[in-house]
Amino acid sequence: MKVAKFGGSSVASAEQLRKVANIITDDSDRKAIVVSAPGKRNEQDTKVTDLLIALGEAYQRGESYEEQLEQVVARFRDITNELGLDDNVLSEIKEDVKEVFASDYSDAFKIDAIKSIGEDSLAKVLSNYLKSLGLQATYLNPKDAGIYVSDEPGSAQILEESYQYLYKLRDREEIVVIPGFFGYTKDGKLVTFSRGGSDITGSIVAAGVQADLYENFTDVDSVYCVNPNIVKNPKEITSLTYKEMRELSYAGFSVFHDEALIPAFKASIPVCIKNTNNPNGLGTIIVAQKETSENPVVGIASDTGFLSLYVSKYLMNRELGFGRRLLNILEDECISFEHTPSGIDDLSVIIRESQLTKEKEQIVINRIKNELDPDTVYIERDLALIMIVGEGMDSTIGIAEKATSAFAKANVNLEMINQGSSEVSMMFGVKASGVEAAVKSLYKEFFE
Amino acid sequence: MKVAKFGGSSVASAEQLRKVANIITDDSDRKAIVVSAPGKRNEQDTKVTDLLIALGEAYQRGESYEEQLEQVVARFRDITNELGLDDNVLSEIKEDVKEVFASDYSDAFKIDAIKSIGEDSLAKVLSNYLKSLGLQATYLNPKDAGIYVSDEPGSAQILEESYQYLYKLRDREEIVVIPGFFGYTKDGKLVTFSRGGSDITGSIVAAGVQADLYENFTDVDSVYCVNPNIVKNPKEITSLTYKEMRELSYAGFSVFHDEALIPAFKASIPVCIKNTNNPNGLGTIIVAQKETSENPVVGIASDTGFLSLYVSKYLMNRELGFGRRLLNILEDECISFEHTPSGIDDLSVIIRESQLTKEKEQIVINRIKNELDPDTVYIERDLALIMIVGEGMDSTIGIAEKATSAFAKANVNLEMINQGSSEVSMMFGVKASGVEAAVKSLYKEFFE
């Protein structure tokens, strides 16, 4: 049994839904389907979820939301018309909205319920369409599927018991179409996952039914080994591990909402990323373990927007608790950090620039000066991190040499190097201005 | 004005003291002399300070200490006899010991007073000898020099006011000979610095008199750029900065008691390491700043006896405070750490093996498991750290490439790499078995 999840661009129009239906028909193992809300049909388009958010905001401001509601309805009307389906879903949307706003739930829950209408309606439309094609298919509400979640609007967490309910889906004869993005609390309130949460639903359903494969259909052929905006037509990754995917998605790989992988990861379900527009392409498969190849490097990730907080103090390493007290100050100020490369008497803390605003910067520096009495403390902005990722790297001699020689060839100075004993990845810090040249040079070194 | 400090081997015998006297006579700027206690004359010999410690221990056990006392006296008798000096110092030693044990001071202070007799007596002998050569010289007790310290037996800290008293030594016409290793509390109790503390006295006196140079006479020609036990006849370092010295002495460079540098460092006094047995050699000079040369790497240090505590947890970097809580556990257990190289979802803490005993290991691992709920936690022992040190490294492209290629050539796998944004040093972790091959290869790469 396979679970197939279709993302926003895959269900954006009647034309796309035809491709989806073909994909489902093509493989009788595709029995559980999870869908997003319709996404953009072109650059200028607006995602249905964004229309629904605007609708909710208008309601909260006490303004009319008729215009936004009509836009949502119009999107679905286009689809049902073109696919020749009945238009019951259109009146259901209007009723749903009325009902939500009339309920006694607090605003946060109302907004969640409104946001979920895109996925919910699309699931209804798709199951109708599959039936119209002669397939046995049913729309399945997350409540009926057994997707129970915590009471946290906008960032629901799955409850463990859900998995035993979902397992029963294996007994179903027909194809079930489940809207992604939301579940229900034990007392029946609708709550959404964080944004991108349809991936989470897909992963949860795959774990619940113990799928042989979780297929994540999107609009790219595969995961590339490097950002295609930096290197043209880069190599595709055919297979990578959960850990590698996680390291890659950390820095610059946005194909996948990486937290979504957790349920599949925990249940050891292989995940396949495929293109709805090219379903016969190999795609990229993500597995728990794989054989190491001759070139253990699977990808190069890069991201800008980091800074380094540098602190030095003579004999720092004799001071028990120095590092801990420094991290304590950051935690007090709610700043999370990425890495802490160190010398003997100095420590650099790598932080995302968004975490340390200019206002907080002075507070943090003053606290460090007052509480830790350092010799030097300063902040260097405009840093980029580049990661070389691959599970086999730890047993291969010469990876660091290849990588550092690529930086030297690109004439880019290394501000930082950080490699722990796991060696799934090797991290390099450079000035943001050098990142493109460095990534191109690394690609040449490892993949050409 | 120069401050010259002579170490244990430089004052171990009459023959050595003749060299010392020649060195002092040779340069009329050498006006403040600081001395250690007589060290070993040959491999089998015992240092006078160790004899005195044994004497103190015999006293504490309530046993006779006559044998140890006679050994100490004999060492000084040999010297005074051979130099043709009066032997008053011998009876003074016996009286000192009697007086100390008769005092009402607590045992810790008595032991400190006994331990200091080696330096104190040698200072008296040397000043007598200088006078016998026709020089104007005076023995100066640390109390009269103004070396005031905190009330911590065995690990005294200098009191700031000492420096203003010491500054007055500049007005003296004659050469002053000051015993190293101890000072006095404000209420007159003798207290010693930590072991190797004559270097500390020298550094304090140099800072106090604002010396043009602090000369540290020892038994090596200079600081070598790599451990001579690993590479035969390595290059000598002619000049290095305080920071470089500190990084080098951290891992494997034992020429210098590095904490001793602090007073000289704070007062920006240049420090010169010279050989009593070859005083015309260039030696190694340690300064606050120096010009960068073409090869910015000044030395390669290495040390074994490290372990890595590896912790991984999926989505670790989203957990605010994870790193801090890990360091907190270590601090609770009084374990200081060296470095914390990290990936996205893993963290390695590098710790000296002496810090984490087998008993503590289980406690720490259990606490991490219970309090941090990691996916994996384990300890890898038998690691070595290798440091490439040099201040100019941060502005030179290609250093990392040269270093990592040396490891690859030596066929040594890199377990860790750690380089902060200061880049006075670059740290590599390897298995202890690979350290010699790696260091040899690095030496070849950077110095041959």
Side-chain angles (χ1 to χ4, degrees):
Chain A
M1 178 172 185
K2 292 176 183 169
V3 174
K5 182 255 163 182
F6 294 91
S9 63
S10 303
V11 298
S13 65
E15 186 195 347
Q16 290 299 89
L17 283 173
R18 283 196 192 99
K19 294 179 189 165
V20 169
N22 281 337
I23 290 167
I24 295 169
T25 320
D26 221 39
D27 185 342
S28 60
D29 284 343
R30 290 175 180 137
K31 294 289 293 295
I33 311 299
V34 175
V35 291
S36 293
K40 293 184 181 188
R41 291 160 295 188
N42 53 58
E43 275 296 315
Q44 284 71 44
D45 205 10
T46 308
K47 294 177 179 178
V48 165
T49 303
D50 287 328
L51 294 174
L52 289 163
I53 289 171
L55 189 163
E57 286 170 351
Y59 165 80
Q60 281 190 297
R61 287 192 304 264
E63 296 170 11
S64 161
Y65 49 76
E66 284 306 320
E67 193 189 322
Q68 290 87 350
L69 180 55
E70 183 41 44
Q71 285 180 297
V72 172
V73 169
R75 284 291 301 265
F76 283 96
R77 188 182 295 122
D78 283 354
I79 294 173
T80 52
N81 275 354
E82 205 175 321
L83 295 178
L85 303 173
D86 67 54
D87 60 2
N88 296 347
V89 73
L90 309 181
S91 49
E92 280 170 29
I93 291 171
K94 290 177 188 165
E95 273 159 43
D96 279 356
V97 170
K98 217 181 288 174
E99 224 171 83
V100 167
F101 289 144
S103 72
D104 354 304
Y105 290 139
S106 66
D107 268 13
F109 289 102
K110 284 181 182 171
I111 295 297
D112 268 20
I114 292 294
K115 284 196 299 191
S116 74
I117 289 173
E119 281 77 6
D120 197 50
S121 306
L122 196 279
K124 291 174 184 170
V125 169
L126 178 60
S127 71
N128 280 343
Y129 180 50
L130 294 176
K131 276 188 264 187
S132 77
L133 298 174
L135 293 168
Q136 260 201 300
T138 319
Y139 155 82
L140 192 63
N141 186 275
K143 197 192 287 177
D144 301 320
I147 301 180
Y148 291 105
V149 297
S150 66
D151 204 340
E152 300 165 87
S155 57
Q157 300 292 319
I158 188 76
L159 301 184
E160 273 303 304
E161 61 194 278
S162 306
Y163 294 110
Q164 75 198 53
Y165 298 124
L166 286 164
Y167 188 73
K168 293 182 188 148
L169 293 183
R170 293 177 68 100
D171 302 333
R172 298 242 182 176
E173 289 285 310
E174 78 276 36
I175 296 165
V176 293
V177 184
I178 306 170
F181 190 36
F182 65 101
Y184 286 84
T185 62
K186 296 291 285 178
D187 60 355
K189 289 199 292 279
L190 185 157
V191 191
T192 65
F193 296 114
S194 53
R195 188 86 200 240
S198 292
D199 282 336
I200 301 178
T201 302
S203 177
I204 287 168
V205 173
V209 303
Q210 293 181 19
D212 300 314
L213 186 63
Y214 168 36
E215 296 177 302
N216 193 295
F217 283 90
T218 169
D219 54 5
V220 294
D221 272 355
S222 61
V223 176
Y224 296 108
C225 67
V226 69
N227 186 341
N229 296 325
I230 298 180
V231 176
K232 273 186 195 151
N233 302 318
K235 290 209 170 135
E236 298 179 353
I237 302 178
T238 51
S239 131
L240 74 171
T241 67
Y242 294 121
K243 271 194 190 173
E244 290 169 342
M245 182 72 216
R246 167 88 181 115
E247 303 267 340
L248 287 173
S249 54
Y250 166 74
F253 275 60
S254 56
V255 174
F256 214 74
H257 183 59
D258 67 342
E259 262 175 87
L261 268 183
I262 302 176
F265 165 67
K266 288 194 176 159
S268 295
I269 311 294
V271 179
C272 190
I273 292 173
K274 288 199 146 192
N275 190 348
T276 299
N277 307 309
N278 178 24
N280 295 323
L282 275 178
T284 299
I285 191 147
I286 307 168
V287 290
Q289 285 183 314
K290 60 162 197 184
E291 280 172 35
T292 54
S293 65
E294 212 170 302
N295 176 10
V297 176
V298 300
I300 302 159
S302 57
D303 206 3
T304 52
F306 294 92
L307 61 81
S308 161
L309 168 65
Y310 175 80
V311 183
S312 80
K313 183 173 186 178
Y314 198 67
L315 296 180
M316 179 190 284
N317 85 325
R318 304 273 169 92
E319 250 181 76
L320 186 63
F322 190 95
R324 195 266 312 153
R325 284 185 289 148
L326 177 59
L327 300 188
N328 234 110
I329 291 174
L330 296 177
E331 196 178 344
D332 272 0
E333 304 296 336
C334 294
I335 296 159
S336 69
F337 65 93
E338 307 295 314
H339 302 281
T340 56
S342 57
I344 307 302
D345 290 335
D346 61 79
L347 189 66
S348 307
V349 187
I350 311 303
I351 301 170
R352 283 193 190 269
E353 288 188 312
S354 57
Q355 287 281 317
L356 189 59
T357 55
K358 286 275 175 193
E359 299 84 67
K360 271 194 185 173
E361 174 171 331
Q362 213 41 58
I363 297 171
V364 166
I365 287 195
N366 287 342
R367 284 196 59 183
I368 291 171
K369 280 185 181 162
N370 294 333
E371 296 170 32
L372 299 176
D373 190 30
D375 297 334
T376 326
V377 51
Y378 63 80
I379 280 171
E380 195 187 344
R381 290 186 176 264
D382 291 322
L383 290 180
L385 295 189
I386 298 175
M387 324 247 314
I388 313 287
V389 177
E391 291 234 33
M393 281 162 59
D394 60 344
S395 52
T396 313
I397 288 171
I399 298 288
E401 181 191 10
K402 271 179 103 166
T404 51
S405 84
F407 284 95
K409 280 176 196 158
N411 209 30
V412 173
N413 194 34
L414 284 168
E415 307 288 318
M416 281 162 294
I417 309 177
N418 188 354
Q419 178 210 308
S421 47
S422 82
E423 214 176 322
V424 178
S425 68
M426 206 177 279
M427 188 212 89
F428 302 92
V430 301
K431 297 216 186 296
S433 56
V435 69
E436 289 218 1
V439 168
K440 279 178 185 157
S441 180
L442 285 163
Y443 181 80
K444 213 167 168 184
E445 196 75 42
F446 286 104
F447 295 101
E448 271 182 4
Chain B
M1 178 171 182
K2 292 176 184 168
V3 174
K5 182 257 162 181
F6 294 92
S9 62
S10 302
V11 297
S13 65
E15 187 194 344
Q16 289 301 86
L17 283 172
R18 283 196 192 99
K19 294 179 191 167
V20 169
N22 281 336
I23 290 167
I24 295 170
T25 320
D26 221 41
D27 185 343
S28 60
D29 282 345
R30 289 176 179 136
K31 294 288 293 295
I33 311 300
V34 175
V35 292
S36 293
K40 292 183 181 190
R41 292 159 297 187
N42 52 59
E43 275 295 315
Q44 285 70 43
D45 205 10
T46 308
K47 294 177 179 178
V48 165
T49 303
D50 287 327
L51 294 173
L52 290 164
I53 289 170
L55 189 162
E57 287 170 350
Y59 165 79
Q60 282 189 298
R61 287 193 303 266
E63 296 170 9
S64 162
Y65 49 77
E66 283 307 318
E67 195 189 319
Q68 291 86 349
L69 179 56
E70 182 42 44
Q71 285 180 299
V72 172
V73 170
R75 285 291 301 266
F76 283 96
R77 188 183 294 121
D78 284 355
I79 294 173
T80 52
N81 276 353
E82 206 176 319
L83 295 179
L85 304 173
D86 68 53
D87 60 1
N88 296 347
V89 74
L90 309 182
S91 50
E92 280 171 31
I93 291 171
K94 290 176 188 168
E95 275 161 41
D96 278 357
V97 170
K98 216 181 288 173
E99 225 171 81
V100 166
F101 290 145
S103 73
D104 353 304
Y105 289 139
S106 67
D107 268 14
F109 288 103
K110 283 180 183 172
I111 296 297
D112 268 21
I114 293 293
K115 283 195 300 191
S116 75
I117 289 173
E119 281 78 5
D120 197 50
S121 306
L122 197 279
K124 289 173 183 170
V125 169
L126 178 60
S127 71
N128 279 344
Y129 179 50
L130 294 176
K131 275 187 263 187
S132 78
L133 298 173
L135 293 167
Q136 259 201 301
T138 319
Y139 155 81
L140 190 63
N141 186 278
K143 195 190 290 177
D144 301 320
I147 300 178
Y148 290 106
V149 296
S150 66
D151 204 340
E152 300 166 87
S155 58
Q157 300 292 320
I158 189 74
L159 302 184
E160 273 303 305
E161 60 193 278
S162 305
Y163 294 111
Q164 75 198 54
Y165 299 123
L166 286 164
Y167 189 72
K168 293 182 188 146
L169 293 183
R170 291 176 69 98
D171 302 332
R172 299 246 182 171
E173 288 287 308
E174 78 277 36
I175 295 163
V176 293
V177 184
I178 305 170
F181 190 35
F182 65 100
Y184 287 84
T185 62
K186 296 293 287 181
D187 61 354
K189 288 199 292 282
L190 185 155
V191 191
T192 64
F193 295 114
S194 54
R195 189 86 201 242
S198 292
D199 281 336
I200 301 178
T201 303
S203 176
I204 287 168
V205 173
V209 304
Q210 293 181 19
D212 300 313
L213 186 65
Y214 168 36
E215 295 176 304
N216 194 293
F217 282 92
T218 171
D219 53 6
V220 293
D221 272 355
S222 61
V223 176
Y224 296 107
C225 67
V226 67
N227 185 342
N229 295 325
I230 298 180
V231 176
K232 273 186 194 150
N233 301 316
K235 290 208 171 135
E236 299 178 353
I237 303 178
T238 51
S239 130
L240 75 170
T241 67
Y242 293 120
K243 271 193 189 172
E244 289 170 343
M245 182 72 215
R246 166 89 180 115
E247 303 266 340
L248 286 173
S249 53
Y250 166 74
F253 275 61
S254 56
V255 175
F256 215 74
H257 184 57
D258 69 340
E259 261 174 88
L261 268 183
I262 302 176
F265 165 67
K266 288 193 175 159
S268 293
I269 311 294
V271 179
C272 190
I273 293 173
K274 289 199 145 193
N275 190 348
T276 299
N277 308 309
N278 178 23
N280 296 323
L282 273 178
T284 298
I285 191 147
I286 308 167
V287 291
Q289 285 184 312
K290 61 162 195 182
E291 281 172 33
T292 53
S293 65
E294 212 168 304
N295 175 10
V297 176
V298 302
I300 301 159
S302 56
D303 206 3
T304 53
F306 294 91
L307 62 81
S308 162
L309 168 65
Y310 174 79
V311 184
S312 80
K313 184 174 186 178
Y314 198 65
L315 296 181
M316 178 190 286
N317 86 325
R318 304 272 170 92
E319 252 182 76
L320 186 63
F322 189 96
R324 195 266 311 153
R325 283 185 291 149
L326 178 60
L327 300 188
N328 235 113
I329 292 174
L330 296 177
E331 195 178 345
D332 273 0
E333 304 296 336
C334 294
I335 295 159
S336 68
F337 65 94
E338 308 295 315
H339 303 281
T340 55
S342 57
I344 308 302
D345 290 334
D346 62 78
L347 190 67
S348 308
V349 187
I350 311 304
I351 300 170
R352 283 192 190 268
E353 288 188 311
S354 57
Q355 287 280 318
L356 190 58
T357 55
K358 286 276 176 193
E359 300 84 66
K360 271 194 186 173
E361 176 172 329
Q362 213 40 60
I363 297 171
V364 166
I365 287 194
N366 287 342
R367 285 196 59 184
I368 292 172
K369 279 184 181 163
N370 294 333
E371 296 170 34
L372 300 176
D373 191 30
D375 296 334
T376 326
V377 51
Y378 64 79
I379 281 172
E380 195 188 344
R381 290 185 177 265
D382 292 322
L383 290 180
L385 295 189
I386 298 176
M387 323 247 314
I388 312 287
V389 177
E391 291 234 32
M393 280 162 59
D394 60 344
S395 51
T396 313
I397 288 172
I399 298 288
E401 183 191 9
K402 272 179 104 167
T404 51
S405 86
F407 284 95
K409 281 177 196 159
N411 208 31
V412 173
N413 195 34
L414 284 170
E415 307 288 318
M416 282 162 293
I417 311 178
N418 188 354
Q419 178 209 308
S421 47
S422 82
E423 215 176 324
V424 177
S425 67
M426 205 177 280
M427 188 211 89
F428 303 91
V430 300
K431 295 218 186 294
S433 56
V435 69
E436 288 217 0
V439 167
K440 279 178 185 158
S441 179
L442 284 164
Y443 181 79
K444 214 168 165 183
E445 197 73 44
F446 286 104
F447 295 101
E448 268 182 5

